[in-house]
Amino acid sequence: MVFLRQQQDECAKNPGHPDFIPFQAFTVKHLPQQFQDNDIFELIKTIGDLTVRLSVTHVSVSRPEVFPETITPFPYNDKKGSNELRTATGWVDKVRKYSEYSEKFCPCEQCLASENPSKVWGELHVITAAHVVFDDNEAKHTSFRWGFNEHESPVVTFKGGHVRDIDPLADRCTVVCVTCDLGLIDKAICTLAQRDSLHKKIQEKDRGLDENDNLVVVVSHPHGFPKQVTVGFWTERNLGTNNETRYVYTASTCPGSGGAPVYILSRNGLPSYHCHSGYSPHKGNFSCVWLG
């Protein structure tokens, strides 16, 4: 955690970052005793394996001044049109692989510039916050780093393509990316299958969950640095008119954690489609709005 401690003089939110656990050092013992279950631990590690760092190098001129139906300023609205770098977090939630029989060529930058574009390629669907990537223009200026667990981790990146399912009020979106890195595509497919298998195992366990079992785990890239894990509990569950929810929680986050996966065990092991949205000094960290 040395690299985070070097930020302690600059980070007003979490001086010294005492609650951040390097992903590679995270063990089942870091979980509260009642949650020290190997399947829960393996699921958190798998969610972490799907977590990616985002580097965004453009601020769209189309960004709103405030979040819809609020007076809360929309992040970076004062920097519209600039190319200032910002980092954030997201996770791969879906993969679509195209074979040579699909009659579609890979549309990634390298293949578009090649006389022999790949016939085998795939789409990676990355969930993040809408305030991180607001529209197609920003998506095209976004790169994703997979497996950034340590400073020495191999550099494996892919580029953003376009945005879909965006909801600025709920602060969530999906960025669709294309790549012909078959090793990356196959690894993502395998990891997603492992995640779904672990979800099912946890759901099938009779753990006798109590309404106070409000464990929250966040995996993120604070300050754009290698992956970290924080553990806490949710303190509020706000229910919307269409059964959508927003959680408030104690698990620590920092700038760069926006869009990170928020795993909530008390939802009986179901996939957490909530991502980290923001922070209120009066309440704490809060998620985007989503079902569950």
Side-chain angles (χ1 to χ4, degrees):
M1 198 161 58
V2 174
F3 65 92
L4 271 182
R5 293 204 179 278
Q6 293 172 349
Q7 293 281 327
Q8 61 185 342
D9 294 333
E10 301 176 16
C11 182
K13 186 179 180 184
N14 291 296
H17 301 89
D19 301 324
F20 288 80
I21 307 161
F23 182 68
Q24 296 291 76
F26 181 67
T27 71
V28 69
K29 296 299 183 181
H30 287 108
L31 295 171
Q33 187 172 4
Q34 68 270 35
F35 301 111
Q36 290 180 6
D37 175 278
N38 192 60
D39 289 331
I40 294 173
F41 169 71
E42 290 297 332
L43 176 56
I44 294 167
K45 292 288 283 188
T46 302
I47 291 172
D49 287 336
L50 293 165
T51 300
V52 295
R53 188 191 70 176
L54 281 66
S55 296
V56 191
T57 59
H58 186 68
V59 182
S60 173
V61 295
S62 299
R63 278 189 171 245
E65 298 296 323
V66 297
F67 281 98
E69 301 178 21
T70 76
I71 60 172
T72 304
F74 202 78
Y76 314 110
N77 72 76
D78 58 336
K79 298 180 180 179
K80 294 179 183 180
S82 73
N83 295 323
E84 182 174 322
L85 170 68
R86 61 187 185 276
T87 61
T89 308
W91 78 96
V92 176
D93 185 65
K94 180 180 177 181
V95 180
R96 176 176 293 174
K97 186 175 181 179
Y98 294 91
S99 73
E100 58 184 323
Y101 304 107
S102 68
E103 298 183 353
K104 293 182 179 180
F105 292 102
C106 178
C108 75
E109 289 182 349
Q110 293 83 358
C111 286
L112 287 175
S114 172
E115 295 181 357
N116 297 296
S118 178
K119 292 183 178 180
V120 183
W121 55 284
E123 291 179 347
L124 301 176
H125 293 211
V126 178
I127 293 177
T128 190
H131 81 261
V132 170
V133 182
F134 178 70
D135 59 14
D136 290 353
N137 193 13
E138 293 188 357
K140 290 180 173 64
H141 289 85
T142 302
S143 64
F144 301 79
R145 183 168 178 181
W146 171 285
F148 186 31
N149 300 338
E150 300 177 296
H151 279 292
E152 298 76 19
S153 297
V155 178
V156 180
T157 61
F158 52 95
K159 295 283 291 183
H162 65 274
V163 169
R164 60 175 296 183
D165 302 328
I166 186 167
D167 187 337
L169 177 59
D171 196 19
R172 66 175 190 265
C173 75
T174 299
V175 183
V176 180
C177 315
V178 294
T179 179
C180 52
D181 183 339
L182 301 185
L184 176 59
I185 295 168
D186 290 340
K187 184 174 183 179
I189 291 172
C190 180
T191 307
L192 285 167
Q194 182 181 6
R195 180 199 66 177
D196 294 344
S197 175
L198 286 164
H199 277 142
K200 184 176 181 181
K201 288 179 69 175
I202 293 171
Q203 282 182 272
E204 291 174 347
K205 286 186 176 182
D206 182 13
R207 296 188 59 254
L209 284 171
D210 185 85
E211 64 179 5
N212 295 317
D213 286 347
N214 299 337
L215 178 70
V216 169
V217 179
V218 179
V219 185
S220 72
H221 288 280
H223 304 288
F225 283 111
K227 202 174 295 173
Q228 303 283 307
V229 181
T230 54
V231 180
F233 297 90
W234 62 262
T235 57
E236 291 185 25
R237 182 176 184 266
N238 301 310
L239 187 64
T241 55
N242 296 316
N243 290 324
E244 292 186 327
T245 55
R246 166 168 275 161
Y247 289 88
V248 178
Y249 39 87
T250 62
S252 294
T253 63
C254 269
S257 297
V262 180
Y263 175 61
I264 303 167
L265 179 64
S266 58
R267 296 172 67 237
N268 296 318
L270 290 171
S272 176
Y273 291 117
H274 289 72
C275 58
H276 176 62
S277 177
Y279 168 73
S280 167
H282 305 294
K283 290 188 176 182
N285 293 301
F286 56 88
S287 72
C288 73
V289 177
W290 219 312
L291 290 172

